[in-house]
Amino acid sequence: MGTWRRLLLFGGLSFRGGGAATVPPRGCRTLGCGRQLLGAENEALKQRRTQVMSRGLPKQKPIEGVREVIVVASGKGGVGKSTTAVNLALALAANDSSKAVGLLDVDVYGPSIPKMMNLRGNPELSPNNLMRPLLNYGIACMSMGFLVEETAPLVWRGLMVMSAIEKLLRQVDWGQLDYLVVDMPPGTGDVQLSVSQNIPISGAVIVSTPQDIALMDAHKGAEMFRKVNVPVLGLVQNMSVFQCPKCKHKTHIFGADGARKLAQTLDLDVLGDVPLHLSIREASDMGQPVVFSQPGSDEAKAYLHIASEVVRRLKSSPE
C-alpha cells in the first residue's frame, strides 16, 4: 500500500463531496494514534495476504505409484544438470537392482533426456488415456521432447508451459516407482515453483560447477527450495577438475572447491565431485550414459557414490 493511500485511509485525510479535505479529529493527531492505526493496517494486510495465499497455492498431491521424488536443479544452465540427472537415475538403479526408477524431464524449452537416453518416438496411451513412459536401460522416461519435433522450438507463453507441466506431472502412467528423478530447468521461475507446490518432493540435488558465477545462481536455487519447504539433500560439484590424459596433470579449470565453500555457507554437504572428462560428454552425446556404458570407470563411480549419498539422506530425513 502506497504512502498516499495510507494517508487517505489511515492518516485521517479524506475527500468528500466536491473534494475538500476534512481535518481529522483532534485526538487522532498524536503520534501514538498514528502508530496504532498503522499497526492495525499492517495486521489486516498480513491476514489478507495469508487468506489470498492459502486460496492460491495448490494442494500437493502425490504422483500415483511414485514413492520418492528427487529433483535435480541448478541456478544456471550449462553446468551439467541433465547429465547429472540421467546418470543419477541410472546409478540409483545400479546400486539396488530391486528399485524401480523413472526419469522425468520438465525442462520444456530444452529437453535433453531423449538424446541422452537414446529414445525417440511418441508415448503410447494407456486404457485410462495416460501417457506411458518410454523405456531404456531399465529407466522409464518421459519428456516434452517425445511430444514435439527434435528441432522444433517451443515458442510458448507461461500459461502453455504450465499446462504442459501439469500434463507431465498428472497424465503419465508410471506404474510403481521407488524413485522418480526430475530434471528441472535452470533458474528459479514458474516451472520450479509449479513442480514444488504441486507434488511432494523428497529432496533436491543442486548441481554447480566450482565457478563463482555458477555458484551465485546455485545459492539462489538452494534458497528457493528452502522457501517452498523442499529439503535440499546437498550439492554436486560438477566439472571439478580436469586431468590431462597424457601427462596426468590436474587443472581446476573452473576453480577449486567452490561448491564446498558454498555448501558450508548453506550448512549443506557436497554429495560428490564429478570430474571434467571427455568420456562423460561423449557417452551423453551418443545416448549411452557413462554409468551404463562404462560402469567401472572413475567417472561412473562418482555418480554411483552420489546416488548412494542421496539414498542415505532420504532414509535419514524425517517423513
Side-chain angles (χ1 to χ4, degrees):
M1 182 177 293
T3 303
W4 282 108
R5 192 172 180 188
R6 284 196 182 96
L7 288 172
L8 287 171
L9 294 180
F10 298 102
L13 186 64
S14 62
F15 293 94
R16 297 178 183 172
T22 61
V23 179
R26 189 170 297 176
C28 288
R29 293 180 181 176
T30 63
L31 181 60
C33 182
R35 286 176 175 171
Q36 289 176 359
L37 288 171
L38 287 175
E41 173 202 4
N42 290 335
E43 187 61 32
L45 282 173
K46 287 179 182 178
Q47 292 178 2
R48 178 63 177 163
R49 188 182 300 115
T50 301
Q51 291 173 358
V52 171
M53 290 294 288
S54 64
R55 287 202 308 267
L57 291 177
K59 292 184 178 179
Q60 286 188 337
K61 180 182 176 183
I63 299 175
E64 187 173 351
V66 176
R67 190 168 65 87
E68 305 266 18
V69 176
I70 305 163
V71 297
V72 179
S74 66
K76 185 176 291 296
V79 298
K81 167 186 57 63
S82 294
T83 303
T84 301
V86 166
N87 283 287
L88 173 61
L90 288 163
L92 288 167
N95 282 343
D96 188 344
S97 59
S98 69
K99 302 299 184 183
V101 182
L103 182 59
L104 174 60
D105 183 0
V106 296
D107 192 347
V108 173
Y109 291 116
S112 304
I113 300 307
K115 182 172 181 63
M116 289 187 176
M117 291 295 287
N118 195 26
L119 286 168
R120 292 178 183 82
N122 300 120
E124 295 180 354
L125 293 179
S126 71
N128 295 330
N129 210 32
L130 299 176
M131 294 181 289
R132 285 180 171 150
L134 276 62
L135 188 70
N136 200 13
Y137 309 132
I139 307 296
C141 302
M142 180 54 62
S143 170
M144 182 56 64
F146 300 147
L147 307 176
V148 297
E149 294 295 329
E150 183 177 351
T151 57
L154 286 182
V155 188
W156 286 0
R157 294 186 184 275
L159 288 176
M160 294 182 68
V161 173
M162 291 303 101
S163 176
I165 296 299
E166 178 70 16
K167 287 179 172 60
L168 290 173
L169 292 177
R170 300 297 177 198
Q171 297 185 21
V172 178
D173 182 6
W174 290 105
Q176 298 296 316
L177 292 181
D178 295 287
Y179 303 112
L180 177 63
V181 177
V182 181
D183 181 18
M184 301 279 270
T188 57
D190 287 345
V191 174
Q192 289 83 352
L193 286 174
S194 181
V195 173
S196 301
Q197 293 171 351
N198 274 281
I199 61 173
I201 297 175
S202 303
V205 174
I206 308 296
V207 181
S208 180
T209 62
Q211 185 181 8
D212 287 347
I213 298 300
L215 292 167
M216 289 169 57
D217 291 331
H219 193 158
K220 296 173 186 175
E223 293 292 359
M224 184 214 72
F225 283 115
R226 285 177 166 172
K227 285 183 181 295
V228 293
N229 298 317
V230 172
V232 180
L233 302 177
L235 277 67
V236 170
Q237 183 164 250
N238 199 29
M239 309 182 201
S240 59
V241 65
F242 172 75
Q243 183 176 35
C244 176
K246 293 184 177 180
C247 69
K248 306 303 180 184
H249 176 72
K250 291 183 178 181
T251 304
H252 294 89
I253 294 175
F254 295 104
D257 291 329
R260 296 188 182 280
K261 296 172 185 175
L262 176 60
Q264 291 176 356
T265 301
L266 295 171
D267 194 23
L268 295 171
D269 294 324
V270 174
L271 301 172
D273 294 75
V274 179
L276 178 63
H277 200 283
L278 181 63
S279 64
I280 298 176
R281 196 275 301 166
E282 288 180 336
S284 297
D285 284 351
M286 290 189 298
Q288 297 179 355
V290 68
V291 169
F292 169 79
S293 59
Q294 303 171 42
S297 66
D298 290 340
E299 296 74 49
K301 289 176 182 177
Y303 289 115
L304 293 167
H305 171 74
I306 291 168
S308 65
E309 288 297 306
V310 166
V311 171
R312 185 170 69 84
R313 282 162 175 77
L314 288 176
K315 289 179 177 179
S316 62
S317 63
E319 295 294 334

